[in-house]
mmCIF file of all heavy atoms in Angstrom:
data_model
loop_
_atom_site.group_PDB
_atom_site.id
_atom_site.type_symbol
_atom_site.label_atom_id
_atom_site.label_comp_id
_atom_site.label_asym_id
_atom_site.label_seq_id
_atom_site.Cartn_x
_atom_site.Cartn_y
_atom_site.Cartn_z
ATOM 1 N N ALA Z 421 25.536 128.456 227.149
ATOM 2 C CA ALA Z 421 24.979 128.947 225.903
ATOM 3 C C ALA Z 421 23.554 129.462 226.188
ATOM 4 O O ALA Z 421 23.122 130.420 225.542
ATOM 5 C CB ALA Z 421 24.946 127.837 224.895
ATOM 6 N N THR Z 422 22.840 128.905 227.085
ATOM 7 C CA THR Z 422 21.494 129.280 227.461
ATOM 8 C C THR Z 422 21.388 129.292 228.968
ATOM 9 O O THR Z 422 22.144 128.588 229.668
ATOM 10 C CB THR Z 422 20.430 128.339 226.853
ATOM 11 O OG1 THR Z 422 20.675 126.996 227.327
ATOM 12 C CG2 THR Z 422 20.455 128.420 225.350
ATOM 13 N N PRO Z 423 20.478 130.030 229.574
ATOM 14 C CA PRO Z 423 20.366 130.110 231.038
ATOM 15 C C PRO Z 423 20.089 128.757 231.649
ATOM 16 O O PRO Z 423 19.433 127.915 231.037
ATOM 17 C CB PRO Z 423 19.191 131.086 231.231
ATOM 18 C CG PRO Z 423 19.116 131.920 230.014
ATOM 19 C CD PRO Z 423 19.521 130.971 228.899
ATOM 20 N N LEU Z 424 20.647 128.565 232.856
ATOM 21 C CA LEU Z 424 20.315 127.385 233.617
ATOM 22 C C LEU Z 424 18.829 127.227 233.780
ATOM 23 O O LEU Z 424 18.099 128.197 234.050
ATOM 24 C CB LEU Z 424 20.995 127.470 235.021
ATOM 25 C CG LEU Z 424 20.779 126.259 235.923
ATOM 26 C CD1 LEU Z 424 21.465 125.025 235.377
ATOM 27 C CD2 LEU Z 424 21.353 126.609 237.331
ATOM 28 N N SER Z 425 18.344 126.022 233.628
ATOM 29 C CA SER Z 425 16.937 125.738 233.695
ATOM 30 C C SER Z 425 16.743 124.387 234.419
ATOM 31 O O SER Z 425 17.601 123.540 234.364
ATOM 32 C CB SER Z 425 16.356 125.641 232.226
ATOM 33 O OG SER Z 425 15.002 125.363 232.273
ATOM 34 N N PRO Z 426 15.661 124.274 235.150
ATOM 35 C CA PRO Z 426 14.422 125.098 235.174
ATOM 36 C C PRO Z 426 14.487 126.294 236.112
ATOM 37 O O PRO Z 426 13.574 127.146 236.081
ATOM 38 C CB PRO Z 426 13.323 124.119 235.595
ATOM 39 C CG PRO Z 426 14.048 123.159 236.466
ATOM 40 C CD PRO Z 426 15.398 122.965 235.864
ATOM 41 N N LEU Z 427 15.466 126.378 237.024
ATOM 42 C CA LEU Z 427 15.570 127.506 237.939
ATOM 43 C C LEU Z 427 16.954 128.198 237.674
ATOM 44 O O LEU Z 427 17.882 127.573 237.177
ATOM 45 C CB LEU Z 427 15.493 127.032 239.380
ATOM 46 C CG LEU Z 427 14.253 126.235 239.742
ATOM 47 C CD1 LEU Z 427 14.350 125.655 241.154
ATOM 48 C CD2 LEU Z 427 12.971 127.118 239.641
ATOM 49 N N THR Z 428 17.047 129.487 237.999
ATOM 50 C CA THR Z 428 18.213 130.254 237.608
ATOM 51 C C THR Z 428 19.360 130.157 238.597
ATOM 52 O O THR Z 428 20.508 130.453 238.276
ATOM 53 C CB THR Z 428 17.839 131.720 237.393
ATOM 54 O OG1 THR Z 428 17.268 132.217 238.601
ATOM 55 C CG2 THR Z 428 16.890 131.847 236.236
ATOM 56 N N GLY Z 429 19.077 129.842 239.872
ATOM 57 C CA GLY Z 429 20.097 129.826 240.936
ATOM 58 C C GLY Z 429 20.717 128.488 241.092
ATOM 59 O O GLY Z 429 20.227 127.659 241.824
ATOM 60 N N GLY Z 430 21.884 128.281 240.499
ATOM 61 C CA GLY Z 430 22.552 126.969 240.587
ATOM 62 C C GLY Z 430 24.032 127.105 240.408
ATOM 63 O O GLY Z 430 24.622 128.158 240.676
ATOM 64 N N TYR Z 431 24.663 126.021 239.957
ATOM 65 C CA TYR Z 431 26.129 125.999 239.836
ATOM 66 C C TYR Z 431 26.571 125.033 238.775
ATOM 67 O O TYR Z 431 25.801 124.140 238.362
ATOM 68 C CB TYR Z 431 26.774 125.694 241.136
ATOM 69 C CG TYR Z 431 26.354 124.356 241.780
ATOM 70 C CD1 TYR Z 431 27.080 123.187 241.532
ATOM 71 C CD2 TYR Z 431 25.223 124.300 242.586
ATOM 72 C CE1 TYR Z 431 26.690 121.973 242.035
ATOM 73 C CE2 TYR Z 431 24.828 123.058 243.148
ATOM 74 C CZ TYR Z 431 25.579 121.892 242.890
ATOM 75 O OH TYR Z 431 25.196 120.739 243.424
ATOM 76 N N ALA Z 432 27.824 125.141 238.374
ATOM 77 C CA ALA Z 432 28.460 124.215 237.397
ATOM 78 C C ALA Z 432 29.758 123.743 237.944
ATOM 79 O O ALA Z 432 30.516 124.535 238.578
ATOM 80 C CB ALA Z 432 28.639 124.893 236.047
ATOM 81 N N ILE Z 433 30.102 122.490 237.749
ATOM 82 C CA ILE Z 433 31.366 121.896 238.154
ATOM 83 C C ILE Z 433 32.134 121.522 236.907
ATOM 84 O O ILE Z 433 31.615 120.735 236.086
ATOM 85 C CB ILE Z 433 31.204 120.688 239.055
ATOM 86 C CG1 ILE Z 433 30.348 121.028 240.273
ATOM 87 C CG2 ILE Z 433 32.531 120.129 239.519
ATOM 88 C CD1 ILE Z 433 29.921 119.812 241.156
ATOM 89 N N PHE Z 434 33.333 122.033 236.763
ATOM 90 C CA PHE Z 434 34.183 121.717 235.607
ATOM 91 C C PHE Z 434 35.185 120.635 236.071
ATOM 92 O O PHE Z 434 35.951 120.794 237.023
ATOM 93 C CB PHE Z 434 34.918 122.970 235.127
ATOM 94 C CG PHE Z 434 34.022 123.995 234.568
ATOM 95 C CD1 PHE Z 434 33.424 124.942 235.406
ATOM 96 C CD2 PHE Z 434 33.708 124.048 233.244
ATOM 97 C CE1 PHE Z 434 32.557 125.928 234.914
ATOM 98 C CE2 PHE Z 434 32.823 125.005 232.721
ATOM 99 C CZ PHE Z 434 32.270 125.962 233.589
ATOM 100 N N GLN Z 435 35.173 119.504 235.333
ATOM 101 C CA GLN Z 435 35.938 118.342 235.725
ATOM 102 C C GLN Z 435 36.910 117.906 234.632
ATOM 103 O O GLN Z 435 36.687 118.181 233.454
ATOM 104 C CB GLN Z 435 34.962 117.168 235.995
ATOM 105 C CG GLN Z 435 33.825 117.515 236.942
ATOM 106 C CD GLN Z 435 32.805 116.396 237.087
ATOM 107 O OE1 GLN Z 435 32.546 115.894 238.168
ATOM 108 N NE2 GLN Z 435 32.241 116.013 235.952
ATOM 109 N N GLN Z 436 37.994 117.209 235.054
ATOM 110 C CA GLN Z 436 38.893 116.577 234.107
ATOM 111 C C GLN Z 436 39.197 115.199 234.631
ATOM 112 O O GLN Z 436 39.287 114.924 235.821
ATOM 113 C CB GLN Z 436 40.162 117.413 233.967
ATOM 114 C CG GLN Z 436 39.913 118.683 233.175
ATOM 115 C CD GLN Z 436 41.201 119.454 232.883
ATOM 116 O OE1 GLN Z 436 42.030 119.638 233.789
ATOM 117 N NE2 GLN Z 436 41.385 119.906 231.674
ATOM 118 N N THR Z 437 39.438 114.282 233.651
ATOM 119 C CA THR Z 437 39.618 112.855 233.942
ATOM 120 C C THR Z 437 41.023 112.445 233.502
ATOM 121 O O THR Z 437 41.473 112.796 232.411
ATOM 122 C CB THR Z 437 38.587 112.009 233.202
ATOM 123 O OG1 THR Z 437 37.270 112.490 233.490
ATOM 124 C CG2 THR Z 437 38.675 110.531 233.650
ATOM 125 N N LEU Z 438 41.657 111.700 234.380
ATOM 126 C CA LEU Z 438 43.001 111.196 233.993
ATOM 127 C C LEU Z 438 42.836 109.878 233.217
ATOM 128 O O LEU Z 438 41.918 109.063 233.503
ATOM 129 C CB LEU Z 438 43.858 110.931 235.247
ATOM 130 C CG LEU Z 438 44.113 112.130 236.114
ATOM 131 C CD1 LEU Z 438 44.965 111.732 237.314
ATOM 132 C CD2 LEU Z 438 44.742 113.277 235.356
ATOM 133 N N PRO Z 439 43.712 109.618 232.260
ATOM 134 C CA PRO Z 439 43.605 108.354 231.537
ATOM 135 C C PRO Z 439 44.016 107.152 232.460
ATOM 136 O O PRO Z 439 44.742 107.333 233.431
ATOM 137 C CB PRO Z 439 44.600 108.482 230.439
ATOM 138 C CG PRO Z 439 45.570 109.529 230.899
ATOM 139 C CD PRO Z 439 44.796 110.470 231.768
ATOM 140 N N THR Z 440 43.462 106.009 232.160
ATOM 141 C CA THR Z 440 43.905 104.790 232.863
ATOM 142 C C THR Z 440 45.411 104.608 232.781
ATOM 143 O O THR Z 440 45.999 104.876 231.730
ATOM 144 C CB THR Z 440 43.149 103.559 232.257
ATOM 145 O OG1 THR Z 440 41.760 103.849 232.220
ATOM 146 C CG2 THR Z 440 43.422 102.332 232.997
ATOM 147 N N PRO Z 441 46.118 104.205 233.854
ATOM 148 C CA PRO Z 441 45.568 103.576 235.066
ATOM 149 C C PRO Z 441 45.434 104.579 236.195
ATOM 150 O O PRO Z 441 45.120 104.168 237.335
ATOM 151 C CB PRO Z 441 46.636 102.555 235.441
ATOM 152 C CG PRO Z 441 47.910 103.223 235.002
ATOM 153 C CD PRO Z 441 47.598 103.964 233.758
ATOM 154 N N ASP Z 442 45.636 105.889 235.989
ATOM 155 C CA ASP Z 442 45.627 106.822 237.118
ATOM 156 C C ASP Z 442 44.242 106.878 237.724
ATOM 157 O O ASP Z 442 44.079 106.710 238.952
ATOM 158 C CB ASP Z 442 46.028 108.215 236.611
ATOM 159 C CG ASP Z 442 47.495 108.271 236.159
ATOM 160 O OD1 ASP Z 442 48.343 107.950 236.984
ATOM 161 O OD2 ASP Z 442 47.775 108.557 234.991
ATOM 162 N N SER Z 443 43.256 107.195 236.954
ATOM 163 C CA SER Z 443 41.869 107.263 237.493
ATOM 164 C C SER Z 443 40.933 107.450 236.335
ATOM 165 O O SER Z 443 41.197 108.235 235.405
ATOM 166 C CB SER Z 443 41.691 108.395 238.475
ATOM 167 O OG SER Z 443 40.333 108.476 238.899
ATOM 168 N N THR Z 444 39.803 106.741 236.328
ATOM 169 C CA THR Z 444 38.806 106.968 235.315
ATOM 170 C C THR Z 444 37.648 107.815 235.800
ATOM 171 O O THR Z 444 36.726 108.071 235.049
ATOM 172 C CB THR Z 444 38.257 105.588 234.846
ATOM 173 O OG1 THR Z 444 37.681 104.929 235.992
ATOM 174 C CG2 THR Z 444 39.331 104.747 234.248
#
Side-chain angles (χ1 to χ4, degrees):
T422 57
L424 179 66
S425 180
L427 304 172
T428 57
Y431 58 91
I433 305 173
F434 295 88
Q435 308 173 123
Q436 289 185 313
T437 307
L438 302 181
T440 305
D442 294 301
S443 176
T444 58

